[in-house]
Amino acid sequence: MKTVNSHKRIYRIMHESVISGVCAGLARWLSVDAVWVRAAAVLSVFLLPGITVLAYLAAVILLPRWSV
């Protein structure tokens, strides 16, 4: 049986980053491949550009770095 960690934290993962590691960190937090998160981010830039850019910048500022 798989145990669920209720204290799972989200980080910006610098060693897997393309721009700043936000999508890589979100992908690891969601347990999906980073390609899917990056594709969703690109799609959302076209659908909701203002909100997406603000959310991304907020994540860059607020999320702690995790570098190996």
Side-chain angles (χ1 to χ4, degrees), residues 7-37:
H7 300 290
K8 197 172 175 182
R9 301 248 352 230
I10 184 169
Y11 296 95
R12 291 188 301 133
I13 301 175
M14 302 310 293
H15 66 277
E16 296 178 16
S17 70
V18 172
I19 297 175
S20 67
V22 173
C23 290
L26 185 59
R28 180 163 297 173
W29 187 68
L30 293 171
S31 300
V32 297
D33 195 288
V35 171
W36 294 111
V37 176

Side-chain angles (χ1 to χ4, degrees), residues 33-60:
D33 195 288
V35 171
W36 294 111
V37 176
R38 290 180 180 122
V42 168
L43 180 64
S44 68
V45 165
F46 289 109
L47 296 176
L48 301 165
I51 294 171
T52 303
V53 171
L54 286 175
Y56 191 85
L57 291 174
V60 169

